[in-house]
Amino acid sequence: MALKGEEAVNGNLGPATEAKTILLTTYKRDGTPVGTPVSIAFDGHRAFFRSYDKAWKTKRLRNNPRVEFAASTLRGKPKGPPIQARATLLDDGQARVAAKALARRHRVLQGVLVPMAHRLRRYQTMHYELSPDPGPAAKAT
């Protein structure tokens, strides 16, 4: 559950402030949507998720940072209306803020298991920030 202050600050992210998992929809070059459930965490008014360098969603985000997301179950069944947003890749300092927020909110999964799996498989962990975006989601930038 989100904190009261967090709800007020993240009001523009809708029901996602209450969710631990969101269905993140990224877009292929031809505009085909692809939904993937991801863990979400907050630090103040900022929303974060992570992936790894070789994931297809990371490749799609490089081509088109516009996304849609909605609060969802762990398996990706949407529990609310989709919100259009932009996913921004974070640099080292900001990525540490995102990693700490994810580890705080998802102690076992994002605090231990995912980082360990990325290290063992020699993946580079990529942290992203979600920002509400009123523009059309499937339109390339």
Side-chain angles (χ1 to χ4, degrees):
M1 296 287 287
L3 304 171
K4 294 282 185 206
E6 192 173 79
E7 267 182 272
V9 174
N10 290 317
N12 57 356
L13 295 177
T17 59
E18 298 289 330
K20 287 194 170 195
T21 304
I22 58 170
L23 179 65
L24 180 72
T25 303
T26 54
Y27 297 90
K28 293 181 179 182
R29 287 180 191 228
D30 67 0
T32 306
V34 180
T36 309
V38 296
S39 297
I40 189 168
F42 301 94
D43 183 46
H45 66 284
R46 302 172 71 192
F48 304 108
F49 71 94
R50 73 165 45 128
S51 186
Y52 59 95
D53 58 334
K54 295 179 178 139
W56 285 105
K57 86 173 137 283
T58 302
K59 293 175 184 181
R60 288 189 297 271
L61 286 169
R62 261 181 276 188
N63 293 321
N64 185 357
R66 291 180 186 251
V67 299
E68 278 188 359
F69 70 95
S72 75
T73 64
L74 192 60
R75 301 192 88 172
K77 182 179 177 194
K79 296 194 305 187
I83 298 168
Q84 295 192 9
R86 177 175 292 273
T88 305
L89 180 62
L90 301 174
D91 62 9
D92 293 335
Q94 294 302 311
R96 280 191 286 281
V97 171
K100 286 180 183 178
L102 284 158
R104 258 192 324 271
R105 188 143 197 211
H106 309 275
R107 294 185 194 276
V108 176
L109 180 64
Q110 297 292 337
V112 178
L113 297 176
V114 170
M116 182 173 31
H118 286 189
R119 276 193 304 274
L120 290 173
R121 293 178 178 234
R122 299 179 193 268
Y123 292 150
Q124 181 181 356
T125 302
M126 315 293 277
H127 292 90
Y128 292 89
E129 180 176 356
L130 287 172
S131 307
D133 185 5
K139 187 177 178 182
T141 56

